């Protein structure tokens, strides 16, 4: 599975970003549960999910800062 690019995340709208953040957090929860019950087959998915979540949260934070800066001016 190819690592998602932050450029692809920047093309999404705010609603899609929030939906993907929720889905990625749920995926990480499921992965931790599978690991605890020793049913995890692909441990590399942890890293991919964390990177994806970091990209999503970064873009959301950038947009919130831009909106705050615009409204303050």
């Amino acid at each position: 599975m190819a690592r998602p690019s932050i450029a692809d995340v920047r093309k999404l709208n705010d609603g899609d970003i929030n939906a993907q953040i929720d889905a990625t957090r749920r995926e990480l929860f499921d992965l931790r549960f599978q690991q605890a019950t020793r049913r995890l087959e692909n441990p590399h998915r942890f890293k991919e999910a964390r990177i994806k979540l970091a990209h999503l949260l970064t873009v959301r934070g950038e947009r919130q800062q831009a909106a705050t800066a615009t409204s303050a001016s």
Side-chain angles (χ1 to χ4, degrees), residues 41-53:
E41 295 178 8
N42 298 323
H44 68 278
R45 289 177 51 204
F46 273 113
K47 182 176 181 178
E48 292 172 356
R50 283 195 315 263
I51 290 171
K52 180 179 178 182
L53 182 61

Side-chain angles (χ1 to χ4, degrees), residues 6-60:
I6 196 162
D8 296 334
V9 175
R10 285 196 169 104
K11 294 177 185 175
L12 300 173
N13 63 27
D14 292 339
D16 290 340
I17 288 175
N18 289 330
Q20 285 197 10
I21 287 171
D22 292 339
T24 306
R25 284 183 172 158
R26 179 65 187 183
E27 179 184 1
L28 282 168
F29 173 81
D30 291 340
L31 289 171
R32 285 191 300 270
F33 190 78
Q34 288 176 9
Q35 184 179 33
T37 58
R38 300 190 184 269
R39 293 187 302 140
L40 183 63
E41 295 178 8
N42 298 323
H44 68 278
R45 289 177 51 204
F46 273 113
K47 182 176 181 178
E48 292 172 356
R50 283 195 315 263
I51 290 171
K52 180 179 178 182
L53 182 61
H55 286 307
L56 292 165
L57 291 172
T58 299
V59 171
R60 184 174 76 175

Side-chain angles (χ1 to χ4, degrees), residues 63-73:
R63 290 183 183 180
Q64 287 175 348
Q65 284 182 346
T68 304
T70 309
S71 65
S73 296

